[in-house]
Amino acid sequence: MCGVVGTLIFDSGRGQVDAGLLERMRDTMTHRGPDGAGIWISNDGKVGLGHRRLSIIDLSTAATQPMSNENGSLWLSFNGEIYNHAEIRRELEQTGRYRWKTDHSDTEVILHAFEEWGIDCLQRFRGMFAFALWDGARRELWLVRDRIGVKPLYYSMHHGKVNFSSEIKGLLEDPGQERAVCEEALFHYLSFLTTPSPQTLFSGIRKLAGGTWLRIRANGEMEERRYWDALTHTRPLVGVSDAEIAERVLAELRVAVSLRKVSDVPVGVFLSGGIDSSTNTALFSEGEGGPVKTFSIGYRGQYQSYENELHYARQMAAQVSAEYHETLLDVDDLINFLPEMVRLQDEPIADPVCVPVYYVSKLARDNGVIVCQVGEGADELFWGYPQWKTALMLQNLDKLPVPRFVKHMALAGLRGLGQKDSFRYEWLRRGATGTPIFWGGAEAFTEAQKQQLMSPRLKKQFAGRTSWEAVAPIRKRFEENAWEASPLNWMTYVDLNMRLPELLLMRVDKMSMGVGLEARVPFLDHKFVELAMSIPQAAKVRNGTLKHILKTAVRGLIPDELIDRKKQGFGVPVYEWFFDKLGAYARKELDFFCKHTDYLDREQVFRLLDSGNGPQAWYLLNLALWWKQHVYR
C-alpha cells in the first residue's frame, strides 16, 4: 500500500514539472508510505510521477517506484495489491517477450500486463488498486481506480496541467490550487455523510469513481470509461437451492481470504465479534502458519446507544487460538484525535467510526502488524442491516397500486402533524414522486431538514432540487443491467456505488493508512461480489432472516452464539458523548463556522444541538472542522 502523486503539463501549458513541488506533494503522504520515496520526471519535463512506499510484496529495492518497463516507454506509480500477480506473471513469462528486474513485484506485473494487453489488462487483475501509468509512446496518462473503489484517487486540472494524488492534501500543496467549497457537493454531503463521486467538497478537485479509468492525452483530451460493473458479470442462481448457494459462497470467500493472506510482512485481522469479522478470523486461521493476530476495540464505561462486543471477540479469538489484542477508548480519546482525523480525512467522512478504526489500526501497527483484513461489504451484499428490513418493507408497500393523489394526501396529513422533517415524510415523498424509497444505507438529513439548515442564500440556490440528482445515474445503470430489478438488488447496488467506496471504504483507507497499515477487504473481492449479486432476492430474505445465506454458509465454521445473536453494528457512543465534553466542543466549533461562512443557518444549527441529536450534530461538526483546517485562511 502506498501513495501516488504526479503532474502532466499539457502541450498548451507552460513550463515544466517542478521537482521540488512534486516532492512536497508526495511527502504530504509519508504516512501512506513510510518505507521509501521516489520521483521520476520525463526528459521533456512535461510529466512527473511521485511515490511513497509501504513495502508489502517484494521488499527489495528493485521494487521501488515509480517503476518503468525495460525501455522506459511506460512509467507507473501504483497503490494497492494485485493478489493474483504470480498467476499473471507466469502467463507473461511464457510469452518470452519481457525481461524481469524483480523477483515477485506486482507493480512490474502491471507494467508488462499493460504492454501485453493494453488497458484491457484490468480485466485480469484481482485486487485493490489505484494507479497512474504514463505511456510515453502514445503520450497518454492513465488514471485507474479498482472495481469496487477500495483505493482512492483524486485529480485536478488548472493552469494548463493535471495533478493527481492518492490524497487531496497532495493536490493542495500546489499554490495554484484553489481552496474553495463546492456548494453542490456540500448539498449532497448533507444527505449522504460524504460527497458522491466524481465531486469532492473542494471546488475543482474530483475523485475517480470505482471501476473506472480516465485517459488524459498530452494535448488535454480526456476520456473516462467504466470498465467494470457488478451487474454485467452475474450468473443468476435461479433454481439453485439455498444450501448449494451457501456452499458456493463459502468456497469463494475462502479463496478471497486466502488471496489476502499473501504478504511479505505480518498480517492480522480486525475482530469485532460479529459474523463478518469472525468469519474472516476463522478462514484466516486455516492452513499453515502461526496463530492469527486479532485486534479489537471497545469503550470505557457502559452506554445505552452502543454496547461493547469485546466478550464476543474474545470468544472467537479463543476458538482459533488467536493472539488477541484489545484497547478501550473514551470521549477524551475522540476529542484529542479530532484534529488529526480531519487532516487524514481530506474531506469530511462524517462517520464517527473513523475514530475506532484509527485506534484499532494503531493497535495493530504498534504490535508489529502491517496488513489487516476487515469485514466491510458483507452487510450490503447479504441483507445484514435491520434498517434494510424496514426499507424493503416500505419499498414493497410503495409498489402497491395506490393512486399517487392518495400519497400526496398522506403527505399533507403528515405536514399537518408537524412531521415534514421526519424520514417517514421523506420516504413517502419519494414514493409520491416516483423515485425509490432507498437512496443509500447512510442518510444524514431529509430534504426538508436540509432546506431548514441551509443559509438563505443556499436555500434559494438549491430550491426545488434534491440529492436524487446524485443517485439517478446509478439508478439508470441498475435499470439497464440488473438481471433481477428487485428492491434488495437495488439497495445493494446503490451502496456498492456510493456508500461503500465513498464512505465506508474511504474511512478504512484514510484511518488505517494514517498509521501506515494496509487494510484488505475479502468480502469485496470482485469475484465474490459478482457471486453475491447473482443470488435472487428471495434466497437472501428467506424467512425474514438477516444474512440468511451467509449464516447458512458459515454455520459450523464459527460458533452458533455469534451467528444467532442480535445484530450490532460497529459504532461510537456519540449520543452520550454529546452530553459530555463533545457537546461543548461542538458548540464552540459550529459557532465559529456559522459566524465565518454563509452555508448554514446558525439558529437552526443550534436548535439541532439543543435537541440532543448526537449523530446529526456530528455530521455538522465534521464539516465545520474540515472547513476550518483546509479552507479557512
Side-chain angles (χ1 to χ4, degrees), residues 265-270 293-295 323 325 361-373 515-518:
V265 295
V267 183
V269 178
F270 288 176
K293 293 184 178 182
T294 66
F295 304 93
E323 183 183 313
H325 304 267
S361 300
K362 186 176 185 299
L363 177 66
R365 199 62 158 92
D366 289 346
N367 282 277
V369 167
I370 313 298
V371 176
C372 271
Q373 300 205 25
V515 297
L517 182 92
E518 174 176 296

PDB file of all heavy atoms in Angstrom, residues 265-270 293-295 323 325 361-373 515-518:
ATOM      1  N   VAL A 265       5.045  -9.314   4.807  1.00  0.00           N
ATOM      2  CA  VAL A 265       5.089  -8.701   6.135  1.00  0.00           C
ATOM      3  C   VAL A 265       3.943  -9.287   6.962  1.00  0.00           C
ATOM      4  O   VAL A 265       3.022  -9.894   6.420  1.00  0.00           O
ATOM      5  CB  VAL A 265       4.957  -7.159   6.047  1.00  0.00           C
ATOM      6  CG1 VAL A 265       6.147  -6.557   5.326  1.00  0.00           C
ATOM      7  CG2 VAL A 265       3.656  -6.757   5.360  1.00  0.00           C
ATOM      8  N   PRO A 266       3.954  -9.107   8.297  1.00  0.00           N
ATOM      9  CA  PRO A 266       2.918  -9.701   9.151  1.00  0.00           C
ATOM     10  C   PRO A 266       1.510  -9.199   8.824  1.00  0.00           C
ATOM     11  O   PRO A 266       1.290  -8.017   8.560  1.00  0.00           O
ATOM     12  CB  PRO A 266       3.347  -9.280  10.560  1.00  0.00           C
ATOM     13  CG  PRO A 266       4.808  -9.044  10.457  1.00  0.00           C
ATOM     14  CD  PRO A 266       5.031  -8.476   9.088  1.00  0.00           C
ATOM     15  N   VAL A 267       0.540 -10.133   8.871  1.00  0.00           N
ATOM     16  CA  VAL A 267      -0.862  -9.850   8.562  1.00  0.00           C
ATOM     17  C   VAL A 267      -1.732 -10.238   9.751  1.00  0.00           C
ATOM     18  O   VAL A 267      -1.475 -11.248  10.421  1.00  0.00           O
ATOM     19  CB  VAL A 267      -1.324 -10.634   7.314  1.00  0.00           C
ATOM     20  CG1 VAL A 267      -2.772 -10.283   6.951  1.00  0.00           C
ATOM     21  CG2 VAL A 267      -0.402 -10.352   6.131  1.00  0.00           C
ATOM     22  N   GLY A 268      -2.776  -9.455  10.043  1.00  0.00           N
ATOM     23  CA  GLY A 268      -3.714  -9.755  11.114  1.00  0.00           C
ATOM     24  C   GLY A 268      -5.149  -9.509  10.682  1.00  0.00           C
ATOM     25  O   GLY A 268      -5.434  -9.309   9.498  1.00  0.00           O
ATOM     26  N   VAL A 269      -6.064  -9.519  11.658  1.00  0.00           N
ATOM     27  CA  VAL A 269      -7.491  -9.362  11.382  1.00  0.00           C
ATOM     28  C   VAL A 269      -8.097  -8.421  12.412  1.00  0.00           C
ATOM     29  O   VAL A 269      -7.812  -8.529  13.610  1.00  0.00           O
ATOM     30  CB  VAL A 269      -8.221 -10.730  11.445  1.00  0.00           C
ATOM     31  CG1 VAL A 269      -9.721 -10.553  11.197  1.00  0.00           C
ATOM     32  CG2 VAL A 269      -7.642 -11.714  10.440  1.00  0.00           C
ATOM     33  N   PHE A 270      -8.948  -7.488  11.949  1.00  0.00           N
ATOM     34  CA  PHE A 270      -9.779  -6.705  12.858  1.00  0.00           C
ATOM     35  C   PHE A 270     -10.943  -7.596  13.292  1.00  0.00           C
ATOM     36  O   PHE A 270     -11.672  -8.120  12.441  1.00  0.00           O
ATOM     37  CB  PHE A 270     -10.341  -5.464  12.172  1.00  0.00           C
ATOM     38  CG  PHE A 270      -9.323  -4.383  11.907  1.00  0.00           C
ATOM     39  CD1 PHE A 270      -9.686  -3.245  11.210  1.00  0.00           C
ATOM     40  CD2 PHE A 270      -8.020  -4.491  12.356  1.00  0.00           C
ATOM     41  CE1 PHE A 270      -8.769  -2.231  10.950  1.00  0.00           C
ATOM     42  CE2 PHE A 270      -7.088  -3.487  12.113  1.00  0.00           C
ATOM     43  CZ  PHE A 270      -7.469  -2.352  11.408  1.00  0.00           C
ATOM     44  N   LYS A 293      -3.138 -12.974  14.476  1.00  0.00           N
ATOM     45  CA  LYS A 293      -3.190 -11.849  15.407  1.00  0.00           C
ATOM     46  C   LYS A 293      -4.487 -11.082  15.152  1.00  0.00           C
ATOM     47  O   LYS A 293      -4.769 -10.679  14.025  1.00  0.00           O
ATOM     48  CB  LYS A 293      -1.988 -10.926  15.211  1.00  0.00           C
ATOM     49  CG  LYS A 293      -0.650 -11.565  15.591  1.00  0.00           C
ATOM     50  CD  LYS A 293       0.486 -10.564  15.459  1.00  0.00           C
ATOM     51  CE  LYS A 293       1.813 -11.183  15.892  1.00  0.00           C
ATOM     52  NZ  LYS A 293       2.931 -10.208  15.819  1.00  0.00           N
ATOM     53  N   THR A 294      -5.283 -10.899  16.211  1.00  0.00           N
ATOM     54  CA  THR A 294      -6.545 -10.179  16.066  1.00  0.00           C
ATOM     55  C   THR A 294      -6.519  -8.914  16.912  1.00  0.00           C
ATOM     56  O   THR A 294      -5.850  -8.857  17.956  1.00  0.00           O
ATOM     57  CB  THR A 294      -7.739 -11.045  16.483  1.00  0.00           C
ATOM     58  OG1 THR A 294      -7.665 -11.312  17.894  1.00  0.00           O
ATOM     59  CG2 THR A 294      -7.766 -12.354  15.711  1.00  0.00           C
ATOM     60  N   PHE A 295      -7.307  -7.896  16.467  1.00  0.00           N
ATOM     61  CA  PHE A 295      -7.303  -6.587  17.110  1.00  0.00           C
ATOM     62  C   PHE A 295      -8.738  -6.096  17.267  1.00  0.00           C
ATOM     63  O   PHE A 295      -9.506  -6.091  16.295  1.00  0.00           O
ATOM     64  CB  PHE A 295      -6.459  -5.613  16.301  1.00  0.00           C
ATOM     65  CG  PHE A 295      -5.057  -6.120  16.100  1.00  0.00           C
ATOM     66  CD1 PHE A 295      -4.725  -6.854  14.962  1.00  0.00           C
ATOM     67  CD2 PHE A 295      -4.093  -5.921  17.067  1.00  0.00           C
ATOM     68  CE1 PHE A 295      -3.444  -7.357  14.795  1.00  0.00           C
ATOM     69  CE2 PHE A 295      -2.813  -6.418  16.906  1.00  0.00           C
ATOM     70  CZ  PHE A 295      -2.485  -7.144  15.771  1.00  0.00           C
ATOM     71  N   GLU A 323      -3.791 -14.754  18.736  1.00  0.00           N
ATOM     72  CA  GLU A 323      -3.067 -13.817  19.594  1.00  0.00           C
ATOM     73  C   GLU A 323      -3.916 -12.555  19.660  1.00  0.00           C
ATOM     74  O   GLU A 323      -3.957 -11.757  18.725  1.00  0.00           O
ATOM     75  CB  GLU A 323      -1.686 -13.522  19.005  1.00  0.00           C
ATOM     76  CG  GLU A 323      -0.831 -12.610  19.861  1.00  0.00           C
ATOM     77  CD  GLU A 323       0.497 -12.275  19.217  1.00  0.00           C
ATOM     78  OE1 GLU A 323       1.168 -13.209  18.721  1.00  0.00           O
ATOM     79  OE2 GLU A 323       0.849 -11.074  19.184  1.00  0.00           O
ATOM     80  N   HIS A 325      -5.580  -8.964  20.889  1.00  0.00           N
ATOM     81  CA  HIS A 325      -5.225  -7.639  21.409  1.00  0.00           C
ATOM     82  C   HIS A 325      -6.479  -6.768  21.412  1.00  0.00           C
ATOM     83  O   HIS A 325      -7.268  -6.796  20.461  1.00  0.00           O
ATOM     84  CB  HIS A 325      -4.158  -6.966  20.545  1.00  0.00           C
ATOM     85  CG  HIS A 325      -2.909  -7.778  20.377  1.00  0.00           C
ATOM     86  ND1 HIS A 325      -1.814  -7.646  21.203  1.00  0.00           N
ATOM     87  CD2 HIS A 325      -2.584  -8.739  19.469  1.00  0.00           C
ATOM     88  CE1 HIS A 325      -0.864  -8.477  20.822  1.00  0.00           C
ATOM     89  NE2 HIS A 325      -1.309  -9.156  19.767  1.00  0.00           N
ATOM     90  N   SER A 361      -6.384   0.396  14.155  1.00  0.00           N
ATOM     91  CA  SER A 361      -5.264   0.325  13.208  1.00  0.00           C
ATOM     92  C   SER A 361      -3.945   0.597  13.919  1.00  0.00           C
ATOM     93  O   SER A 361      -2.937  -0.088  13.690  1.00  0.00           O
ATOM     94  CB  SER A 361      -5.459   1.331  12.069  1.00  0.00           C
ATOM     95  OG  SER A 361      -6.646   1.077  11.345  1.00  0.00           O
ATOM     96  N   LYS A 362      -3.960   1.598  14.793  1.00  0.00           N
ATOM     97  CA  LYS A 362      -2.752   1.922  15.558  1.00  0.00           C
ATOM     98  C   LYS A 362      -2.367   0.771  16.486  1.00  0.00           C
ATOM     99  O   LYS A 362      -1.176   0.445  16.646  1.00  0.00           O
ATOM    100  CB  LYS A 362      -2.978   3.198  16.369  1.00  0.00           C
ATOM    101  CG  LYS A 362      -1.734   3.711  17.086  1.00  0.00           C
ATOM    102  CD  LYS A 362      -2.027   5.036  17.779  1.00  0.00           C
ATOM    103  CE  LYS A 362      -0.757   5.625  18.392  1.00  0.00           C
ATOM    104  NZ  LYS A 362      -0.159   4.741  19.412  1.00  0.00           N
ATOM    105  N   LEU A 363      -3.380   0.124  17.066  1.00  0.00           N
ATOM    106  CA  LEU A 363      -3.118  -1.029  17.923  1.00  0.00           C
ATOM    107  C   LEU A 363      -2.405  -2.133  17.146  1.00  0.00           C
ATOM    108  O   LEU A 363      -1.440  -2.734  17.636  1.00  0.00           O
ATOM    109  CB  LEU A 363      -4.437  -1.552  18.496  1.00  0.00           C
ATOM    110  CG  LEU A 363      -4.378  -2.804  19.375  1.00  0.00           C
ATOM    111  CD1 LEU A 363      -3.612  -2.525  20.665  1.00  0.00           C
ATOM    112  CD2 LEU A 363      -5.791  -3.304  19.681  1.00  0.00           C
ATOM    113  N   ALA A 364      -2.859  -2.386  15.929  1.00  0.00           N
ATOM    114  CA  ALA A 364      -2.235  -3.406  15.097  1.00  0.00           C
ATOM    115  C   ALA A 364      -0.803  -3.017  14.741  1.00  0.00           C
ATOM    116  O   ALA A 364       0.124  -3.828  14.864  1.00  0.00           O
ATOM    117  CB  ALA A 364      -3.059  -3.624  13.831  1.00  0.00           C
ATOM    118  N   ARG A 365      -0.617  -1.776  14.315  1.00  0.00           N
ATOM    119  CA  ARG A 365       0.728  -1.322  13.910  1.00  0.00           C
ATOM    120  C   ARG A 365       1.688  -1.343  15.093  1.00  0.00           C
ATOM    121  O   ARG A 365       2.856  -1.736  14.953  1.00  0.00           O
ATOM    122  CB  ARG A 365       0.621   0.089  13.327  1.00  0.00           C
ATOM    123  CG  ARG A 365       1.814   0.527  12.468  1.00  0.00           C
ATOM    124  CD  ARG A 365       1.977  -0.354  11.249  1.00  0.00           C
ATOM    125  NE  ARG A 365       2.711   0.267  10.176  1.00  0.00           N
ATOM    126  CZ  ARG A 365       4.038   0.198   9.961  1.00  0.00           C
ATOM    127  NH1 ARG A 365       4.796  -0.496  10.782  1.00  0.00           N
ATOM    128  NH2 ARG A 365       4.595   0.792   8.931  1.00  0.00           N
ATOM    129  N   ASP A 366       1.195  -0.968  16.263  1.00  0.00           N
ATOM    130  CA  ASP A 366       2.044  -0.972  17.458  1.00  0.00           C
ATOM    131  C   ASP A 366       2.461  -2.379  17.863  1.00  0.00           C
ATOM    132  O   ASP A 366       3.435  -2.559  18.615  1.00  0.00           O
ATOM    133  CB  ASP A 366       1.322  -0.297  18.627  1.00  0.00           C
ATOM    134  CG  ASP A 366       1.192   1.206  18.452  1.00  0.00           C
ATOM    135  OD1 ASP A 366       1.887   1.764  17.571  1.00  0.00           O
ATOM    136  OD2 ASP A 366       0.390   1.821  19.185  1.00  0.00           O
ATOM    137  N   ASN A 367       1.718  -3.373  17.378  1.00  0.00           N
ATOM    138  CA  ASN A 367       2.040  -4.764  17.682  1.00  0.00           C
ATOM    139  C   ASN A 367       2.700  -5.478  16.504  1.00  0.00           C
ATOM    140  O   ASN A 367       2.661  -6.710  16.410  1.00  0.00           O
ATOM    141  CB  ASN A 367       0.783  -5.508  18.127  1.00  0.00           C
ATOM    142  CG  ASN A 367       0.416  -5.209  19.561  1.00  0.00           C
ATOM    143  OD1 ASN A 367       0.941  -5.796  20.497  1.00  0.00           O
ATOM    144  ND2 ASN A 367      -0.481  -4.237  19.738  1.00  0.00           N
ATOM    145  N   GLY A 368       3.315  -4.685  15.599  1.00  0.00           N
ATOM    146  CA  GLY A 368       4.140  -5.249  14.544  1.00  0.00           C
ATOM    147  C   GLY A 368       3.430  -5.753  13.321  1.00  0.00           C
ATOM    148  O   GLY A 368       4.055  -6.350  12.441  1.00  0.00           O
ATOM    149  N   VAL A 369       2.110  -5.514  13.202  1.00  0.00           N
ATOM    150  CA  VAL A 369       1.349  -5.969  12.040  1.00  0.00           C
ATOM    151  C   VAL A 369       1.245  -4.830  11.031  1.00  0.00           C
ATOM    152  O   VAL A 369       0.961  -3.682  11.391  1.00  0.00           O
ATOM    153  CB  VAL A 369      -0.051  -6.461  12.463  1.00  0.00           C
ATOM    154  CG1 VAL A 369      -0.961  -6.635  11.262  1.00  0.00           C
ATOM    155  CG2 VAL A 369       0.069  -7.783  13.223  1.00  0.00           C
ATOM    156  N   ILE A 370       1.457  -5.141   9.753  1.00  0.00           N
ATOM    157  CA  ILE A 370       1.466  -4.126   8.692  1.00  0.00           C
ATOM    158  C   ILE A 370       0.213  -4.220   7.813  1.00  0.00           C
ATOM    159  O   ILE A 370      -0.167  -3.262   7.149  1.00  0.00           O
ATOM    160  CB  ILE A 370       2.724  -4.279   7.795  1.00  0.00           C
ATOM    161  CG1 ILE A 370       3.982  -4.438   8.653  1.00  0.00           C
ATOM    162  CG2 ILE A 370       2.875  -3.088   6.862  1.00  0.00           C
ATOM    163  CD1 ILE A 370       4.291  -3.277   9.539  1.00  0.00           C
ATOM    164  N   VAL A 371      -0.437  -5.369   7.808  1.00  0.00           N
ATOM    165  CA  VAL A 371      -1.617  -5.613   6.975  1.00  0.00           C
ATOM    166  C   VAL A 371      -2.708  -6.224   7.840  1.00  0.00           C
ATOM    167  O   VAL A 371      -2.429  -7.120   8.648  1.00  0.00           O
ATOM    168  CB  VAL A 371      -1.299  -6.579   5.809  1.00  0.00           C
ATOM    169  CG1 VAL A 371      -2.559  -6.893   5.016  1.00  0.00           C
ATOM    170  CG2 VAL A 371      -0.219  -6.019   4.908  1.00  0.00           C
ATOM    171  N   CYS A 372      -3.954  -5.772   7.689  1.00  0.00           N
ATOM    172  CA  CYS A 372      -5.082  -6.368   8.411  1.00  0.00           C
ATOM    173  C   CYS A 372      -6.268  -6.582   7.476  1.00  0.00           C
ATOM    174  O   CYS A 372      -6.523  -5.773   6.572  1.00  0.00           O
ATOM    175  CB  CYS A 372      -5.516  -5.489   9.584  1.00  0.00           C
ATOM    176  SG  CYS A 372      -4.652  -5.856  11.133  1.00  0.00           S
ATOM    177  N   GLN A 373      -6.989  -7.662   7.719  1.00  0.00           N
ATOM    178  CA  GLN A 373      -8.227  -7.917   6.993  1.00  0.00           C
ATOM    179  C   GLN A 373      -9.393  -7.302   7.764  1.00  0.00           C
ATOM    180  O   GLN A 373      -9.438  -7.366   8.996  1.00  0.00           O
ATOM    181  CB  GLN A 373      -8.435  -9.411   6.813  1.00  0.00           C
ATOM    182  CG  GLN A 373      -7.323 -10.076   6.032  1.00  0.00           C
ATOM    183  CD  GLN A 373      -7.773 -11.357   5.340  1.00  0.00           C
ATOM    184  OE1 GLN A 373      -8.941 -11.557   5.039  1.00  0.00           O
ATOM    185  NE2 GLN A 373      -6.826 -12.227   5.067  1.00  0.00           N
ATOM    186  N   VAL A 515      -1.732   5.402   9.923  1.00  0.00           N
ATOM    187  CA  VAL A 515      -0.679   4.826  10.765  1.00  0.00           C
ATOM    188  C   VAL A 515       0.202   3.871   9.957  1.00  0.00           C
ATOM    189  O   VAL A 515       0.973   3.102  10.528  1.00  0.00           O
ATOM    190  CB  VAL A 515      -1.286   4.085  11.985  1.00  0.00           C
ATOM    191  CG1 VAL A 515      -2.041   5.044  12.865  1.00  0.00           C
ATOM    192  CG2 VAL A 515      -2.180   2.920  11.558  1.00  0.00           C
ATOM    193  N   GLY A 516       0.096   3.918   8.627  1.00  0.00           N
ATOM    194  CA  GLY A 516       0.916   3.060   7.784  1.00  0.00           C
ATOM    195  C   GLY A 516       0.500   1.609   7.830  1.00  0.00           C
ATOM    196  O   GLY A 516       1.341   0.706   7.794  1.00  0.00           O
ATOM    197  N   LEU A 517      -0.820   1.359   7.876  1.00  0.00           N
ATOM    198  CA  LEU A 517      -1.350  -0.004   7.898  1.00  0.00           C
ATOM    199  C   LEU A 517      -2.207  -0.234   6.665  1.00  0.00           C
ATOM    200  O   LEU A 517      -3.055   0.594   6.329  1.00  0.00           O
ATOM    201  CB  LEU A 517      -2.198  -0.228   9.152  1.00  0.00           C
ATOM    202  CG  LEU A 517      -2.771  -1.638   9.296  1.00  0.00           C
ATOM    203  CD1 LEU A 517      -1.822  -2.510  10.116  1.00  0.00           C
ATOM    204  CD2 LEU A 517      -4.148  -1.618   9.953  1.00  0.00           C
ATOM    205  N   GLU A 518      -1.999  -1.355   5.996  1.00  0.00           N
ATOM    206  CA  GLU A 518      -2.825  -1.707   4.834  1.00  0.00           C
ATOM    207  C   GLU A 518      -4.034  -2.520   5.289  1.00  0.00           C
ATOM    208  O   GLU A 518      -3.901  -3.467   6.058  1.00  0.00           O
ATOM    209  CB  GLU A 518      -2.005  -2.529   3.845  1.00  0.00           C
ATOM    210  CG  GLU A 518      -2.831  -3.063   2.678  1.00  0.00           C
ATOM    211  CD  GLU A 518      -1.978  -3.802   1.662  1.00  0.00           C
ATOM    212  OE1 GLU A 518      -1.121  -3.143   1.052  1.00  0.00           O
ATOM    213  OE2 GLU A 518      -2.158  -5.014   1.479  1.00  0.00           O
TER     214      GLU A 518
END
